[in-house]
């Protein structure tokens, strides 16, 4: 080893001496648990401001939920009113099961619209995303699935 390399100044993030490798663990799961516990100890807990959804993203989610949930729900209510008007004033007999299925479908779409509205919004503050939000939905669904997998691994 040349003398210049051994006498050079140490970088701020460089350790003082070489880290010793830990003894071989009986299984890799033990090593992973140790590494994850060390990472958790090094990370300071997040405060409310760091965990909060930014205002821009929150407003974007609210607009999308209003559209994707509000439209089907409004149509469900309107179909109830329309079916009543047809039966009461036009004397058209509608099968009750048809009215039920139409309403269940529209209200079900409204419930799914809540989830789709949140997941189809761009979670990036600077990028608004597109109108339908299919690419944002796939990105956000992937993020959510990854967190589920990590949580399941921690609990096992």
């Amino acid at each position: 080893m040349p003398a210049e390399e051994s006498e050079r100044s140490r970088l701020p993030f460089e350790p003082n001496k070489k880290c010793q490798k830990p003894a071989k663990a009986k299984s890799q799961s033990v090593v992973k648990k140790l590494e994850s516990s060390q990472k958790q100890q090094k990370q300071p807990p997040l405060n409310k401001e760091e965990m909060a959804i930014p205002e821009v993203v929150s407003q974007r989610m609210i607009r999308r939920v209003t559209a994707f949930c509000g439209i089907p729900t409004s149509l469900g209510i309107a179909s109830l009113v329309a079916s009543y008007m047809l039966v009461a004033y036009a004397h058209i007999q509608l099968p009750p099961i048809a009215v039920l299925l139409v309403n269940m479908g529209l209200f079900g779409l409204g419930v799914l619209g809540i989830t789709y509205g949140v997941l189809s919004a761009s979670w990036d503050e600077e990028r608004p995303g597109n109108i339908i939000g299919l690419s944002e939905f796939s990105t956000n669904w992937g993020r959510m699935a990854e967190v589920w997998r990590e949580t399941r691994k921690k609990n096992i």
Side-chain angles (χ1 to χ4, degrees):
M1 184 184 283
E4 298 139 9
E5 284 184 5
S6 63
E7 295 176 5
R8 69 174 174 81
S9 64
R10 196 175 58 81
L11 296 171
F13 55 85
E14 189 175 10
N16 289 331
K17 59 181 181 177
K18 289 186 178 180
C19 294
Q20 300 218 354
K21 292 183 180 178
K24 284 190 175 182
K26 292 182 180 179
S27 69
Q28 288 186 353
S29 64
V30 173
V31 173
K32 288 181 182 178
K33 286 181 182 178
L34 287 173
E35 289 174 354
S36 67
S37 66
Q38 288 173 352
K39 287 179 184 177
Q40 288 176 355
Q41 290 173 356
K42 291 179 184 178
Q43 296 174 349
L46 299 174
N47 59 23
K48 287 185 179 181
E49 290 81 28
E50 292 172 340
M51 290 178 54
I53 297 172
E55 185 67 27
V56 175
V57 176
S58 175
Q59 292 300 318
R60 192 178 300 144
M61 287 179 181
I62 289 171
R63 284 191 305 268
R64 287 183 173 272
V65 167
T66 301
F68 289 115
C69 175
I71 292 171
T73 304
S74 300
L75 289 174
I77 294 169
S79 71
L80 281 173
V81 172
S83 64
Y84 172 76
M85 298 294 227
L86 288 173
V87 170
Y89 297 113
H91 302 292
I92 298 174
Q93 292 299 319
L94 296 173
I97 192 72
V99 175
L100 175 71
L101 290 176
V102 167
N103 279 295
M104 282 179 56
L106 290 169
F107 286 126
L109 281 176
V111 171
L112 290 176
I114 296 170
T115 303
Y116 186 77
V118 170
L119 292 177
S120 68
S122 173
W123 292 355
D124 184 10
E125 292 181 60
E126 287 81 32
R127 194 173 56 87
N130 60 15
I131 293 173
I132 301 297
L134 289 175
S135 62
E136 288 85 4
F137 179 81
S138 63
T139 302
N140 295 336
W141 183 265
R143 289 174 181 163
M144 203 169 63
E146 182 62 32
V147 170
W148 285 339
R149 282 187 216 111
E150 289 175 7
T151 304
R152 246 195 319 159
K153 285 180 183 178
K154 285 181 184 178
N155 292 335
I156 290 179

